[in-house]
Amino acid sequence: MVLRPLIGSNTRFCLVRVLKDGVAFDPALTKILGDMDPWLLPLKPPEDHDCHRKIVNDSYYKDAVEYMRLTMQSPRYVSLAALHPLVQLLLIGGLVDEAMKVVEEMCNKVHDIKPFRIKAAMMEKFHHHNDLLAKCYEDILKIDPSCVTTLKKLIVIRESLIEMIALHVEASFPEPIIWKEFAEILILFFENADEDRMSVCLDGSGEEGSQQTYSVRYNSTPRMFTETSSWTLRAKWWLNRHFSPEILEAEMRNGTGYLEMMRLMSYKAACACRIYGPEFSYVTKVYGSRLVKYSNSLELFNFLQRHRHNWNRIYNLE
């Protein structure tokens, strides 16, 4: 028996029974594998270490792993077909790192949805706090833009990222690059959020002989901004902290450099388009008085213009 880190934790440890050939029986890993999506791993690994030892030490299992490893050196169409069964064999044997490495190599080799789906499913279980998980979802959507399930998972991550940036905005006066990323993440979130924001209401008394009519209402604001009061309070506070006339005047007098000042104001105005709408005073003053006036700010002008043309006013607070 040896002491090893518990899967998915940097601080907790568990007792692991080491079998022959260095293969470890880890109860925590067995539980994680048992909870994996059936399409990826339909067989639930045995929870008994003796049964697990018989499987991984069986000559048929060893031969299968060896031959599948060799198959990965075959042409792409052959190695792609062998990827899934090899990953299953490696996971059952507790060889998670090797399984992930094989999948990564296949993702770099082919432009096919299968290895990216396998990679995402594994990262959800073993590296679910990894920043690369969002990138993995994006890679899937680039290959298959119609995948609703992956899009929903990406939206959940985006919501968390928006909240973290908002906390930073509350605690500091962010640099221009932070405001830019905030604006971009907001526009992506609004464009890709596929929440069911449409409701159908039945009008009329419902009495016999009366004609019933239906009305359809569509709410363009994602629920995260309306379900709690925290975002409403946040938006009200930011009016004075980041977007007041006094703040704008001070930014225009800022001596950190003309271009840096223009970046700060234009990126903040892009965020304000999303939160308060394109007619918000901070937005109109930056867009009209500064960006249009100076021709060498064309890139910033186009950036803000894109956000003004694709705006979503969350709050009407002016």
Side-chain angles (χ1 to χ4, degrees), residues 80-98:
L80 181 61
L83 176 65
H84 196 173
L86 174 58
V87 169
Q88 291 175 333
L89 290 171
L90 294 175
L91 290 178
I92 291 175
L95 303 174
V96 177
D97 290 341
E98 182 180 349

Side-chain angles (χ1 to χ4, degrees), residues 21 23 61-74 79 82-83 85-87 89-91 93-99 102 105-106 109:
D21 300 327
V23 177
Y61 172 82
K62 293 181 179 179
D63 289 343
V65 173
E66 180 182 356
Y67 293 141
M68 283 297 177
R69 284 170 175 161
L70 293 174
T71 306
M72 299 308 294
Q73 303 174 17
S74 303
S79 58
L83 176 65
L86 174 58
V87 169
L89 290 171
L90 294 175
L91 290 178
L95 303 174
V96 177
D97 290 341
E98 182 180 349
V102 169
E105 291 175 350
M106 185 60 67
K109 185 188 300 184

Side-chain angles (χ1 to χ4, degrees), residues 95-113:
L95 303 174
V96 177
D97 290 341
E98 182 180 349
M100 183 63 76
K101 181 180 178 181
V102 169
V103 174
E104 289 276 9
E105 291 175 350
M106 185 60 67
C107 288
N108 295 330
K109 185 188 300 184
V110 301
H111 185 73
D112 189 275
I113 197 68

Side-chain angles (χ1 to χ4, degrees), residues 104 119-120 123-124 126-139 153-154 156-158 160-162 164-165 185:
E104 289 276 9
K119 178 182 176 181
M123 291 187 69
E124 288 170 1
F126 301 110
H127 306 285
H128 58 280
H129 295 306
N130 197 315
D131 294 337
L132 295 178
L133 182 56
K135 176 63 167 57
C136 190
Y137 290 150
E138 292 173 359
D139 290 337
K153 292 178 180 179
L154 180 59
V156 171
I157 295 179
R158 296 296 189 195
S160 176
L161 180 56
I162 289 174
M164 293 303 102
I165 295 177
I185 201 72

Side-chain angles (χ1 to χ4, degrees), residues 87-271:
V87 169
Q88 291 175 333
L89 290 171
L90 294 175
L91 290 178
I92 291 175
L95 303 174
V96 177
D97 290 341
E98 182 180 349
M100 183 63 76
K101 181 180 178 181
V102 169
V103 174
E104 289 276 9
E105 291 175 350
M106 185 60 67
C107 288
N108 295 330
K109 185 188 300 184
V110 301
H111 185 73
D112 189 275
I113 197 68
K114 178 188 289 187
F116 289 97
R117 289 193 189 280
I118 295 175
K119 178 182 176 181
M122 292 180 62
M123 291 187 69
E124 288 170 1
K125 293 298 183 181
F126 301 110
H127 306 285
H128 58 280
H129 295 306
N130 197 315
D131 294 337
L132 295 178
L133 182 56
K135 176 63 167 57
C136 190
Y137 290 150
E138 292 173 359
D139 290 337
I140 292 175
L141 291 171
K142 289 176 182 178
I143 299 175
D144 181 14
S146 64
C147 184
V148 177
T149 302
T150 301
L151 182 57
K152 288 181 178 179
K153 292 178 180 179
L154 180 59
I155 288 172
V156 171
I157 295 179
R158 296 296 189 195
E159 286 187 8
S160 176
L161 180 56
I162 289 174
E163 181 64 24
M164 293 303 102
I165 295 177
L167 290 175
H168 177 76
V169 172
E170 289 180 356
S172 64
F173 293 93
E175 299 176 358
I177 187 62
I178 301 299
W179 286 109
K180 180 181 181 182
E181 292 300 322
F182 196 16
E184 292 290 58
I185 201 72
L186 283 173
I187 195 172
L188 285 173
F189 183 70
F190 273 90
E191 288 178 351
N192 294 329
D194 64 343
E195 296 176 283
D196 184 11
R197 300 195 294 270
M198 183 175 291
S199 60
V200 180
C201 301
L202 176 64
D203 299 326
S205 62
E207 297 177 357
E208 185 177 357
S210 64
Q211 184 177 4
Q212 294 179 338
T213 60
Y214 296 87
S215 62
V216 178
R217 298 180 177 88
Y218 180 76
N219 179 14
S220 60
T221 303
R223 295 190 186 99
M224 70 172 291
F225 297 108
T226 59
E227 285 185 340
T228 64
S229 61
S230 61
W231 267 97
T232 303
L233 296 174
R234 178 177 285 162
K236 290 180 178 179
W237 183 38
W238 289 357
L239 285 175
N240 294 323
R241 179 174 174 81
H242 295 295
F243 300 107
S244 68
E246 294 77 15
I247 290 291
L248 178 58
E249 183 179 352
E251 289 170 348
M252 290 182 175
R253 297 195 309 264
N254 196 315
T256 59
Y258 167 76
L259 182 58
E260 190 71 6
M261 178 268 291
M262 294 299 295
R263 285 173 177 164
L264 176 64
M265 292 193 303
S266 59
Y267 297 151
K268 285 181 63 177
C271 290

